[in-house]
């Protein structure tokens, strides 16, 4: 039996925020999370990049470093890593069996995310990691990762209106949920937030007497290097930026601020480790250039308006006149706002389904795109992503961008990997 089929039955329980099920599950397994020092990372966008930077630097500094992120692109094992290496599929399979074995059939079943999160805590404890970088799945306050009372550092990268169906209709509601990971007295690093969200987060840090740090974005020195201004001294750190896009000046600064706080807690992280770790950082499927047949294409999840804005900004810096979007989106996303951020007159749009998901209706997307940007050069629907890519890549003078859903990117990468 595969990991997919083993964990599939729990998908039936969907998104069901709350901590009681995972707390009971972890208690039955001896509370492994109590043995794992963590950095806890929440945010609408940027949290995956921040986790990638932190994991790479801490590994470079010589610490046995766990990293837990979601969703995966191709394989469940991507979610649970130690020192940048994904867990072995057999090990993950055995861990899930252990978790399943202690589930009480007479109690409410845990969700799929709670099962895999429990497996991650168990693995990190068994492997005796020095530290783990833990990414929030959804929201924060009631997320299955929010079971540690004393994180070394908490990070909130950004807040915008996404998953409002579960978290609340406004950025203020969403900020309250994300601020739920802040713990009494534990330092908090906060990115650039909308004013209403900033007020919520600051108020929560004051209430809990948690020191708050809001580092300025790093400054770009040249195409590949940036400079970070330390939060507690006039000194700066110059470092390479391995990930693409202006937003990485923000994300990398948040990661280095968290590392500064760890240094003050006597973690041995040299400037050389920061420079080397930042250089080695990888975060696939986000602003990634990849070869499709003989064409270089750009791939990025860009599944909400804020990330679509970041992608458009980056595409505009490429100074390519002809932009061709190959896009698929889930039915639950804010299609109108995403199109408004991405599309410009003269662009081409190839719409595709996202396989094995609740994919948006392509005809409705095409009508919506045409109404939002009536001066599109081309807009059509395709039955699958590869026929769309083949059609999009027939022209040699255009930049093809595959985006709209991390699930679509994952599907594309899985097929490319297998060929």
């Amino acid at each position: 039996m595969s990991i997919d089929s083993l964990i599939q039955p729990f998908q039936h329980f969907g998104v069901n925020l709350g901590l009681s099920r995972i707390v009971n599950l972890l208690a039955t397994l001896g509370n492994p999370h109590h043995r794992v020092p963590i950095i806890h990372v929440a945010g609408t966008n940027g949290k995956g990049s921040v986790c990638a930077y932190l994991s790479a630097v801490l590994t470079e500094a010589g610490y046995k470093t766990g990293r837990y992120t979601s969703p995966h692109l191709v394989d469940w094992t991507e979610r649970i890593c130690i020192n940048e290496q994904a867990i072995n599929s057999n090990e993950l399979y055995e861990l899930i069996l252990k978790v399943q074995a202690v589930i009480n059939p007479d109690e409410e079943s845990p969700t799929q995310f709670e099962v895999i999160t429990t497996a991650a805590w168990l693995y990190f404890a068994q492997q005796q990691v020095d530290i783990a970088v833990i990414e929030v799945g959804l929201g924060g306050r009631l997320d299955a990762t929010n079971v540690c009372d004393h994180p070394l550092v908490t990070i909130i990268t950004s807040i915008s209106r996404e998953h409002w169906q579960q978290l609340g209709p406004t950025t203020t509601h969403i900020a309250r949920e994300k601020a739920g990971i802040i713990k009494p007295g534990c330092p908090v690093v906060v990115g650039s937030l909308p004013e209403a969200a900033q007020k919520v987060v600051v108020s929560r840090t004051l209430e809990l007497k948690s020191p708050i740090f809001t580092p300025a974005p790093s400054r770009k020195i040249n195409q590949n290097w940036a400079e970070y201004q330390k939060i507690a001294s006039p000194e700066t750190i110059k470092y390479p930026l391995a990930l693409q896009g202006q937003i990485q000046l923000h994300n990398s600064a948040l990661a280095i601020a968290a590392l500064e706080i760890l240094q003050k807690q006597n973690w041995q992280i040299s400037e050389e480790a920061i420079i080397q770790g930042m250089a080695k950082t990888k975060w696939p499927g986000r602003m990634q250039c990849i070869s499709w047949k003989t064409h270089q294409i750009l791939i990025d999840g860009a599944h909400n308006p804020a990330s679509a804005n970041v992608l458009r900004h980056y595409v505009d810096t490429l100074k390519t006149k002809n932009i061709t979007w190959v896009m698929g989106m889930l039915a639950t996303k804010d299609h109108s706002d995403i199109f408004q951020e991405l599309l410009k007159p003269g662009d081409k749009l190839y719409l595709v389904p996202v396989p094995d998901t609740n994919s948006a209706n392509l005809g409705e997307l095409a009508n919506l795109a045409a109404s939002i940007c009536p001066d599109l050069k081309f807009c059509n629907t395709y039955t699958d992503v590869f026929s769309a890519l083949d059609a999009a890549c027939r022209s040699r003078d255009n930049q093809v961008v595959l985006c709209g859903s991390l699930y679509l990117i994952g599907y594309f990468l899985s097929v490319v990997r297998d060929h």
Side-chain angles (χ1 to χ4, degrees):
M1 187 186 287
S2 67
I3 291 170
D4 268 318
S5 52
L6 188 62
I7 207 165
Q8 185 68 32
F10 296 98
Q11 191 172 7
H12 168 72
F13 301 101
V15 174
N16 186 3
L17 296 175
L19 298 178
S20 59
R21 294 175 301 274
I22 193 164
V23 166
N24 291 340
L25 208 48
L26 289 165
T28 312
L29 291 161
N31 290 315
H33 57 302
H34 290 166
R35 305 196 296 278
V36 183
I38 75 159
I39 301 173
H40 204 187
V41 185
T44 306
N45 291 306
K47 55 187 185 292
S49 300
V50 170
C51 289
Y53 288 127
L54 289 168
S55 173
V57 171
L58 289 165
T59 298
E60 191 68 25
Y63 290 107
K64 191 172 188 179
T65 306
R67 184 182 78 201
Y68 179 60
T69 54
S70 60
H72 59 273
L73 288 176
V74 178
D75 192 285
W76 284 98
T77 58
E78 296 167 33
R79 297 186 180 215
I80 304 173
C81 298
I82 291 181
N83 288 357
E84 304 293 280
Q85 296 300 310
I87 186 173
N88 176 282
S89 57
N90 291 333
E91 284 182 294
L92 181 54
Y93 188 89
E94 291 301 319
L95 283 166
I96 293 169
L97 284 179
K98 280 183 185 173
V99 174
Q100 282 187 330
V102 300
I103 293 171
N104 186 337
D106 298 325
E107 293 178 359
E108 185 183 14
S109 175
T111 65
Q112 191 177 69
F113 185 69
E114 288 164 352
V115 170
I116 197 81
T117 303
T118 303
W121 288 120
L122 199 53
Y123 183 61
F124 293 150
Q126 286 175 354
Q127 296 295 317
Q128 298 181 319
V129 298
D130 297 313
I131 188 169
V133 182
I134 306 290
E135 180 189 7
V136 166
L138 180 62
R141 181 175 65 92
L142 297 175
D143 184 74
T145 63
N146 196 27
V147 290
C148 287
D149 340 350
H150 205 80
L152 300 166
V153 188
T154 294
I155 303 172
I156 299 175
T157 60
S158 65
I159 293 174
S160 59
R161 191 174 176 271
E162 193 189 28
H163 298 302
W164 55 268
Q165 299 94 331
Q166 290 92 7
L167 303 179
T170 68
T171 51
T172 301
H173 288 90
I174 293 167
R176 285 194 196 109
E177 293 303 313
K178 295 195 187 298
I181 70 167
I182 300 171
K183 301 299 190 302
C186 297
V188 186
V189 177
V190 180
S192 176
L193 306 181
E195 188 179 350
Q198 181 80 10
K199 282 181 182 172
V200 170
V201 171
V202 170
S203 169
R204 186 65 176 155
T205 61
L206 291 172
E207 184 186 332
L208 297 177
K209 298 183 172 57
S210 303
I212 184 170
F213 302 89
T214 52
S218 293
R219 182 178 69 88
K220 199 157 191 177
I221 301 172
N222 57 41
Q223 189 175 352
N224 301 312
W225 281 74
E227 184 176 37
Y228 167 80
Q229 172 68 58
K230 291 188 176 180
I231 47 182
S233 81
E235 296 173 20
T236 63
I237 298 175
K238 294 182 175 70
Y239 61 95
L241 267 179
L243 305 184
Q244 297 300 314
Q246 184 79 9
I247 195 66
Q248 297 306 334
L249 295 171
H250 295 256
N251 294 340
S252 59
L254 296 176
I256 299 177
L259 293 165
E260 264 197 277
I261 292 166
L262 289 184
Q263 288 171 329
K264 288 180 172 49
Q265 296 173 2
N266 295 319
W267 291 76
Q268 301 304 303
I269 306 163
S270 68
E271 187 167 315
E272 184 63 21
I274 292 174
I275 292 167
Q276 293 298 325
M278 298 302 274
K280 292 177 181 177
T281 302
K282 292 189 175 79
W283 194 228
R286 286 79 170 179
M287 305 264 194
Q288 180 185 359
C289 279
I290 194 166
S291 222
W292 165 248
K293 298 189 176 175
T294 59
H295 209 99
Q296 279 291 111
I297 67 171
L298 180 69
I299 63 173
D300 188 79
H303 58 287
N304 58 38
S307 58
N309 174 279
V310 167
L311 176 58
R312 181 75 225 196
H313 184 277
Y314 176 65
V315 166
D316 286 344
T317 68
L318 301 177
K319 299 192 168 43
T320 305
K321 284 185 181 176
N322 302 313
I323 306 299
T324 299
W325 304 98
V326 179
M327 285 187 72
M329 287 190 274
L330 300 186
T332 52
K333 296 299 179 177
D334 296 323
H335 310 133
S336 175
D337 290 346
I338 291 171
F339 280 149
Q340 283 173 349
E341 295 290 352
L342 278 186
L343 302 178
K344 288 188 177 179
D347 287 356
K348 294 180 180 179
L349 179 62
Y350 296 63
L351 292 161
V352 301
V354 183
D356 305 320
T357 65
N358 178 21
S359 190
N361 180 287
L362 297 186
E364 290 173 8
L365 287 182
N367 291 336
L368 181 63
S371 68
I372 286 170
C373 189
D375 294 325
L376 285 171
K377 194 171 183 181
F378 176 88
C379 178
N380 211 340
T381 63
Y382 288 77
T383 54
D384 69 278
V385 64
F386 298 106
S387 60
L389 282 171
D390 283 343
C393 290
R394 282 191 193 119
S395 172
R396 289 288 164 189
D397 62 346
N398 63 335
Q399 174 63 64
V400 175
V401 187
L402 176 63
C403 66
S405 165
L406 283 170
Y407 295 102
L408 179 64
I409 298 299
Y411 172 72
F412 169 77
L413 289 174
S414 68
V415 173
V416 168
R417 184 187 69 174
D418 292 340
H419 282 74

